[in-house]
Amino acid sequence: MTKKKYKKYKTLYLPQVIVEAVIASHQVRLKEFEEVRIDTCLDIINNILEKSSFNRTADKSKDLFAMMSSRYLKLRYKNSYKIHKDFLFLNNLIYLDEAFKDNPSNFYLQDNETYLRIINNISNNIEYISYCIRNNIELSLLDTVNTSVTEIQKNRIFKSWYRIKVLIDNKNKSFFSGDYKADSNFINNAPTRIKKMGSHFKNNFKLDSKKAIEHTLKQYRSELKKASSDEEERKAYNRSLARMSSIFAISNGKINKSLRFNRNPTNKRLDTNLTNMASDLKPFIIGWENMVYLDLKNSQPVLFNVELNKRYERGSDTLKAEIDKYRRATFAGKWYEELMRIYKADRDSCKDIWMCIAYSKNKSYTGYKKPFKKDYPEIYKIIETSKVTNYQDFAIKLQKLESKIFIDKICKELVDVGIIPFTVHDALIVQKSEQQEALKIMTKVLTEHLGDTPKIAVE
């Protein structure tokens, strides 16, 4: 008797109107794009959404986009990547920014109205069900919005999402199973502490998706009411779309193999669904009421003290005075208050200003940098010099230092005493019963590296 072969599936969650626009376009141009697979198209769309939700700095952007190089696309989609990219682009399902030669292209999602126009222009009677069965895809609608909510009914893309169940075959397994397989290989071959943390994350990290979605929708409605322009409405919409995508990726993540846990090869950080989840969704982590969040205040500015300490003894009196002033502000967790003093601006604006000072190209935002340069000329010179070759070097250096301290030192000691944390780059989540021991270890290791005890917030 022949043993029945077990079928494997991948489940995606995408806005209804995008899925219908892709299918409608493919039906109309089937002869021209016969080799195009719907599952590949939907994965590219999902890729844009996931990468947008994984990039929290894009939270303030008016666009949802992801950088994708031809090398990445070919690795993920093999030789079919070009025809799928062309199909999506030529049918206005995505748009590309290929302005910078030899750099990865930015793949952008269109706005909601564009997808609605595509559907309306093609047909009002598309046979989705029979069409999708033929392509080994099953669609089922998820109604994520209470039908009595009238103020956002115009945003059909947000009202309904499809659960898309795709049969994994030889042509799609490279991109549907590849990320999970790579993460599993990383965990299996990692040092003991990482292995235990990875296993703990995949087995225990869960989200109350229903409450998280309700919160996201409530926030979205609030932002829409406050929006004073089309651009602000679009920003609110895209923020919520990215957050919804991150929630669906975590929901049933273990079964669906959408939980991510890997180490970034560039900055050595651990990248997970949690590290890239919007911070206001933390209260919806299952078991949050029994957890505590230990956060190094002003983490990147604080960690910069490691570099400044190396320069202190041989520095000029001016540099020493600046470093002393910088230390006082950062170790007290008052760095943004210090910038508020310099710029006479609010805290959120000063956070953005610090990003400009520390992480932008030296010739960018020069007007924003002048007040800081006047108050901290020697420290500004150190930051500027570190970005001469590549403006990203300063940020990457601090991120590598952060990873070394938190992942390789603090987490190692925690795991050694039986405390296995969830990590959020410069913060840890542990059980409340483990708080005192975890705080003790975290404080000890940070003090050893920084030469003084920084401010650690307990939430």
Side-chain angles (χ1 to χ4, degrees), residues 385-402:
T385 302
S386 70
K387 297 189 294 179
V388 169
T389 303
N390 184 341
Y391 76 96
Q392 295 177 321
D393 285 347
F394 182 71
I396 291 171
K397 186 173 183 178
L398 290 180
Q399 289 164 356
K400 283 182 175 179
L401 177 60
E402 169 206 271

Side-chain angles (χ1 to χ4, degrees), residues 152-175:
I152 56 175
Q153 291 303 303
K154 64 178 181 177
N155 295 284
R156 181 184 173 199
I157 191 171
F158 206 80
K159 179 180 184 296
S160 296
W161 288 56
Y162 272 125
R163 179 191 288 115
I164 308 159
K165 188 177 179 182
V166 186
L167 178 67
I168 295 179
D169 58 28
N170 289 330
K171 290 187 177 180
N172 63 25
K173 67 180 180 181
S174 64
F175 53 86

Side-chain angles (χ1 to χ4, degrees), residues 83-113:
I83 192 170
H84 286 88
K85 181 185 75 170
D86 290 346
F87 167 76
L88 291 170
F89 176 65
L90 292 173
N91 286 284
N92 208 28
L93 296 162
I94 63 172
Y95 68 96
L96 308 179
D97 179 2
E98 300 179 292
F100 303 102
K101 189 177 180 181
D102 299 325
N103 285 336
S105 300
N106 287 333
F107 284 54
Y108 294 81
L109 292 186
Q110 299 284 16
D111 61 83
N112 189 31
E113 294 304 316

Side-chain angles (χ1 to χ4, degrees), residues 343 363-372:
Y343 284 90
K363 293 183 179 180
S364 299
Y365 306 106
T366 53
Y368 284 108
K369 295 172 182 176
K370 282 181 180 178
F372 180 79

